[in-house]
């Protein structure tokens, strides 16, 4: 199953890997946001979900959170492979913590993507070469940075809003970029300020800058 908010990208992946006679891969469904993804995943129970990190409705991490029971199923578990343009550390670690079995970037070739899908279906772990060493360092190194408990209080969407606010975006600009209403942006900002015990967006910007999130 393909989960990505760009319809043209989904069509391209479908054309590249969906030739079942040649690749052995059958695309059973697709979705462009979190709620659609959950509806299709529950209906089709695919072997592997190709999951983008940044999605309307809470991001790939939210899809993983809602799919925890299906991932843990003893009989035919649903497995996830992140397929994203992002190679940011926080995105990689976020989806791996969420239960994804691998993370590859959108520069991957069609042949390598098919191989990655079958490896994940066999419960192997797959990472783009440049990310593999980083993942090992982050999870195995004794000097890996500790989990940021403040950030862990925030939902994926709240983190997205936080970063855009800290970068100086206006509420209307954030709403347009994340495909949500201005009122929803205001609600997320209020939630972030409350959870982080901050008073205004200026304090929020300083907080984000100190953690190099901007």
């Amino acid at each position: 199953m393909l989960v990505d908010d760009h319809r043209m990208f989904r069509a391209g992946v479908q054309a590249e890997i969906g030739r079942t006679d040649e690749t052995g891969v059958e695309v059973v469904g697709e979705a462009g946001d979190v709620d659609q993804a959950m509806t299709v995943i529950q209906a089709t129970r695919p072997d592997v979900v190709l999951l983008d990190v940044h999605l309307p409705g809470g991001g790939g991490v939210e899809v993983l959170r809602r799919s925890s029971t299906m991932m843990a199923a003893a009989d035919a578990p649903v497995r996830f492979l992140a397929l994203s343009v992002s190679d940011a550390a926080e995105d990689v670690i976020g989806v791996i913590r969420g239960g994804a079995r691998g993370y590859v970037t959108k520069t991957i070739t069609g042949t390598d993507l098919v191989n990655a899908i079958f490896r994940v279906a066999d419960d192997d772990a797959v990472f783009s070469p440049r990310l593999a060493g980083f993942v090992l360092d982050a999870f195995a190194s004794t000097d890996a940075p500790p989990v940021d408990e403040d950030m862990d209080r925030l939902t994926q969407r709240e983190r997205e809003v936080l970063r855009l606010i800290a970068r100086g975006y206006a509420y209307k600009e954030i709403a347009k970029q994340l495909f949500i209403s201005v009122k929803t942006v205001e609600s997320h900002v209020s939630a972030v300020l409350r959870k982080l015990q901050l008073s205004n967006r200026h304090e929020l910007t300083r907080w984000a800058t100190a953690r190099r999130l901007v």
Side-chain angles (χ1 to χ4, degrees):
M1 179 188 165
L2 308 175
V3 182
D4 192 287
D5 60 340
H6 293 95
R7 183 178 60 81
M8 291 297 292
F9 179 77
R10 295 200 307 269
V13 174
Q14 166 84 31
E16 186 72 24
I17 71 172
R19 303 183 304 276
T20 307
D21 291 343
E22 298 177 25
T23 66
V25 174
E26 178 187 2
V27 179
V28 298
E30 59 181 70
D33 62 36
V34 171
D35 289 338
Q36 290 175 3
M38 295 314 305
T39 298
V40 180
I41 291 170
Q42 289 165 354
T44 62
R45 294 299 290 260
D47 297 312
V48 177
V49 177
L50 291 181
L51 179 68
D52 194 10
V53 174
H54 300 292
L55 294 167
V61 171
E62 179 65 12
V63 174
L64 291 165
R65 185 187 69 79
R66 296 192 198 179
S67 302
S68 58
T69 301
M70 289 183 285
M71 284 191 285
D75 181 28
V78 177
R79 297 184 173 93
F80 289 82
L81 172 62
L83 175 62
S84 177
V85 69
S86 171
D87 60 1
E90 61 198 54
D91 289 336
V92 179
I93 297 304
V95 296
I96 299 306
R97 278 182 179 156
R101 293 296 302 167
Y103 195 114
V104 295
T105 61
K106 290 181 177 179
T107 58
I108 193 170
T109 67
T111 299
D112 287 343
L113 181 57
V114 169
N115 290 337
I117 289 168
F118 278 102
R119 287 178 60 188
V120 168
D122 289 337
D123 205 25
D124 197 1
V126 181
F127 297 94
S128 290
R130 200 176 76 79
L131 303 178
F134 164 74
V135 173
L136 288 173
D137 289 344
F139 283 92
S141 174
T142 56
D143 59 356
V147 173
D148 190 326
E149 294 183 0
D150 288 332
M151 281 293 287
D152 278 356
R153 294 191 185 99
L154 306 181
T155 66
Q156 180 67 25
R157 179 45 59 87
E158 288 169 353
R159 296 180 192 188
E160 293 171 352
V161 171
L162 162 65
R163 293 187 188 94
L164 293 174
I165 285 288
R167 290 170 184 168
Y169 283 69
Y171 285 4
K172 287 184 179 179
E173 294 172 321
I174 296 172
K176 183 177 181 180
Q177 183 156 334
L178 299 181
F179 304 99
I180 58 179
S181 69
V182 173
K183 185 175 181 180
T184 301
V185 173
E186 293 173 348
S187 297
H188 285 313
V189 172
S190 296
V192 170
L193 292 174
R194 183 181 68 255
K195 291 179 180 181
L196 300 181
Q197 298 183 333
L198 301 174
S199 300
N200 52 57
R201 65 180 296 166
H202 300 296
E203 290 185 1
L204 186 152
T205 299
R206 288 196 296 271
W207 185 92
T209 301
R211 286 163 173 78
R212 300 179 180 179
L213 300 176
V214 180

